[in-house]
Amino acid sequence: YVRKGASKYFSTPDVELRTFLQSLHQRKVIFTNAPEESAKEILTLLGVDDLFEAVLGSDFLQNQVCKPEKKAFQMVLDHLNVKPSNYHRVCYFEDSYKNMCMGKELGFKTVFVKSTTMDQEGRSRSDLLRLFDAVVDKKVGMSLRQQ
């Protein structure tokens, strides 16, 4: 959970992540419970900030709702003009089980990104594979600064 001050942790852009994101020709949006400024800082450090159409976070949600609340998802989908008949076309990447469950309930294609959150929420890989469309290992190729 890196928020403001991410430059303390990251030192170089992630070329592998950039290449992967560029290979996806769909719209790309960040939906986070964090403030947009924090998310944008991390995207800039990763060297991928220009690949996202929007960053929608706590400011957009007016600090009134957050993931996994259905209303938060509805606000984002409405803002992006995604109709319920197209929810099945949304590919949702997430590292929180409880957040991912709402995406699945809405009919999204779900890709669970393994992280420490998985362990904190008490879920195994087999649990996740039964529920979601895909489970991938967290992979960030950029260098971490020495602590």
Side-chain angles (χ1 to χ4, degrees):
Y1 295 104
V2 177
R3 299 288 192 235
K4 196 167 179 117
S7 61
K8 294 178 197 172
Y9 303 97
F10 301 117
S11 62
T12 59
D14 188 334
V15 177
E16 288 179 64
L17 177 61
R18 183 171 184 83
T19 300
F20 170 72
L21 290 171
Q22 287 175 317
S23 75
L24 303 174
H25 299 289
Q26 300 84 350
R27 297 169 73 185
K28 289 176 271 309
V29 175
I30 298 292
F31 173 29
T32 178
N33 285 334
E36 285 85 340
E37 180 182 326
S38 296
K40 288 176 183 177
E41 177 185 7
I42 292 167
L43 293 172
T44 298
L45 289 167
L46 290 169
V48 297
D49 54 307
D50 61 314
L51 301 180
F52 291 89
E53 175 182 329
V55 176
L56 304 173
S58 59
D59 297 330
F60 170 78
L61 297 171
Q62 302 168 6
N63 291 309
Q64 299 294 314
V65 295
C66 64
K67 296 184 288 183
E69 295 173 69
K70 190 172 190 173
K71 183 176 180 183
F73 283 81
Q74 288 301 153
M75 288 175 68
V76 168
L77 293 163
D78 291 347
H79 178 77
L80 298 170
N81 295 314
V82 178
K83 305 293 183 225
S85 61
N86 285 322
Y87 287 0
H88 70 282
R89 298 180 68 195
V90 173
C91 187
Y92 181 51
F93 290 76
E94 177 64 69
D95 70 343
S96 167
Y97 175 82
K98 60 186 178 183
N99 294 346
M100 185 62 86
C101 285
M102 181 53 65
K104 188 69 171 179
E105 181 180 316
L106 290 167
F108 300 168
K109 298 290 183 211
T110 51
V111 180
F112 190 93
V113 181
K114 287 175 36 182
S115 71
T116 56
T117 305
M118 180 179 97
D119 297 327
Q120 293 166 354
E121 293 180 335
R123 301 296 168 179
S124 70
R125 183 177 178 86
S126 60
D127 291 338
L128 301 172
L129 285 169
R130 279 193 301 274
L131 295 168
F132 306 126
D133 297 303
V135 177
V136 297
D137 291 318
K138 180 178 176 183
K139 172 65 177 96
V140 177
M142 63 189 248
S143 303
L144 291 176
R145 292 190 187 277
Q146 297 297 319
Q147 295 292 326

